[in-house]
Amino acid sequence: MGAMDSVDLQGIVAFVHAVEAGSFTAAGERLHVTKSAIGKSVARLEQRLGIRLLNRTTRSLNPTSEGASYYEACVRALAEIEAGQALLASRRQIPSGRLRVDVPLAFGRRCVAPVLFGISSRFPELTIEISFNDRRVDLIEEGIDVAVRMGDLDDSLSLAARRIYAQRSAICAAPAYLEKHGRPQSIDDLASHSVIGYGREGVVHPWTMRNANGHLTTFVPKARLVLGHGEPMLDAALAGCGITFLPTWLAAESLRRGELEMVLSDCLVENIVVHAIWPVTRALTPKVRVVVDALVDHFSAPPWDAA
């Protein structure tokens, strides 16, 4: 082995994750080991190299100038190793190892998770960890392999993306509400109705809808009930609390059963694009590719958008 005898990959991996995570604790959580184990690995690496790689305080952990240079070299080396492993795996075409996926809360649970469950059943060598978030996670910082993101993408050169779905939405309400309060005939009529809006931190999200001329327009509802999650919005509409704007993946079953009715227009409006994204710094390994391809296939003709 020669000079390679002195290389401790475990220590290098611990060091890289410590730099990226900003603490031994966070690095340990990524690697599923204790904070102490990370600290000891890095200390042994420093001892072997004869140089301090990290400046440690009770509140922060930062690389020294030498540590920053060594980190860059380690990242390049690990990327080469990962690329080699990806090449071998791609030849086998068997997704394996640990795959971390981040998805939105309601959409992820209802629409994405079943796809991932199917992948898990098909590939027993693959371990999938799914996190559910409505915040935009930093894939590289948090060690996420692939994420499903709704809405506009950040202008980031570090992420690759593939469009998987265009969400369609409709204005709807429960029949009991419409019978009691009447059916609005125009956008202006909504001012006299109870509206259920989606919003967070004091900001109510606008609706993309068609006006009387059939043109798309943006409408900011004066909502009497503002909820920060889609599923409670559906519950509120079913309870007769008012008129709301719901995506078909959430409302389709209630519309089919007659528990909700579309109002103002029978036309669905595409209002949000959904992408699968992953770090470009990592090779598109079989485990990432199988997820992206499965999502594209599944959302090409989702059952809730039928008819």
Side-chain angles (χ1 to χ4, degrees):
M1 294 283 293
M4 286 296 292
D5 289 340
S6 63
V7 175
D8 178 3
L9 284 179
Q10 185 175 3
I12 290 173
V13 170
F15 166 67
V16 167
H17 278 275
V19 172
E20 293 178 347
S23 73
F24 289 158
T25 300
E29 290 174 354
R30 283 190 183 187
L31 296 174
H32 301 285
V33 298
T34 64
K35 168 186 175 181
S36 175
I38 296 293
K40 289 177 180 178
S41 291
V42 172
R44 285 195 296 267
L45 181 62
E46 290 177 321
Q47 184 178 14
R48 189 170 63 254
L49 294 173
I51 196 167
R52 177 176 289 276
L53 298 172
L54 297 172
N55 288 320
R56 307 163 177 81
T57 69
T58 56
R59 294 185 177 181
S60 66
L61 183 153
N62 296 292
T64 62
S65 58
E66 294 86 356
S69 298
Y70 189 63
Y71 165 77
E72 296 295 336
C74 289
V75 168
R76 289 194 296 269
L78 291 175
E80 289 294 327
I81 293 173
E82 185 174 357
Q85 292 174 331
L87 178 62
L88 293 175
S90 65
R91 289 174 177 171
R92 294 169 60 213
Q93 292 299 312
I94 301 175
S96 60
R98 185 169 69 111
L99 179 73
R100 298 190 65 197
V101 185
D102 186 80
V103 299
L105 279 171
F107 183 77
R109 184 178 70 84
R110 286 174 173 253
C111 305
V112 180
V115 179
L116 299 177
F117 298 158
I119 292 172
S120 179
S121 298
R122 287 165 50 203
F123 301 104
E125 295 183 40
L126 186 62
T127 298
I128 304 178
E129 296 181 9
I130 311 172
S131 56
F132 295 82
N133 280 296
D134 277 342
R135 68 178 177 87
R136 295 205 165 193
V137 302
D138 186 315
L139 273 66
I140 296 174
E141 182 178 331
E142 300 186 38
I144 302 297
D145 296 296
V146 61
V148 172
R149 185 155 293 174
M150 307 184 75
D152 296 336
L153 295 177
D154 300 328
D155 187 16
S156 174
L157 297 177
S158 64
L159 297 176
R162 186 171 177 186
R163 174 173 166 149
I164 61 173
Y165 178 57
Q167 174 180 284
R168 302 196 297 167
S169 298
I171 302 169
C172 49
Y177 173 87
L178 296 173
E179 182 177 348
K180 182 176 181 180
H181 300 280
R183 183 181 293 269
Q185 300 301 313
S186 69
I187 294 175
D188 291 339
D189 289 346
L190 290 174
S192 61
H193 281 269
S194 295
V195 172
I196 305 163
Y198 175 83
R200 293 188 175 183
E201 299 178 354
V203 178
V204 178
H205 287 221
W207 299 356
T208 300
M209 50 196 297
R210 297 191 182 277
N211 59 23
N213 297 322
H215 299 139
L216 290 179
T217 185
T218 299
F219 171 74
V220 181
K222 293 183 178 179
R224 291 188 58 241
L225 184 59
V226 180
L227 300 169
H229 196 277
E231 290 181 322
M233 291 175 64
L234 172 63
D235 294 339
L238 292 172
C241 293
I243 297 173
T244 192
F245 190 60
L246 293 174
T248 54
W249 58 264
L250 186 58
E253 190 60 33
S254 297
L255 289 167
R256 275 195 291 267
R257 290 197 297 253
E259 298 168 345
L260 291 178
E261 295 180 7
M262 293 174 61
V263 299
L264 289 180
S265 172
D266 291 334
C267 297
L268 299 171
V269 175
E270 291 188 359
N271 63 315
I272 292 179
V273 176
V274 183
H275 291 86
I277 62 175
W278 61 93
V280 296
T281 53
R282 299 175 189 173
L284 188 59
T285 58
K287 64 183 180 181
V288 172
R289 184 181 296 280
V290 74
V291 170
V292 175
D293 289 347
L295 291 173
V296 170
D297 180 66
H298 177 74
F299 286 107
S300 64
W304 56 83
D305 273 358

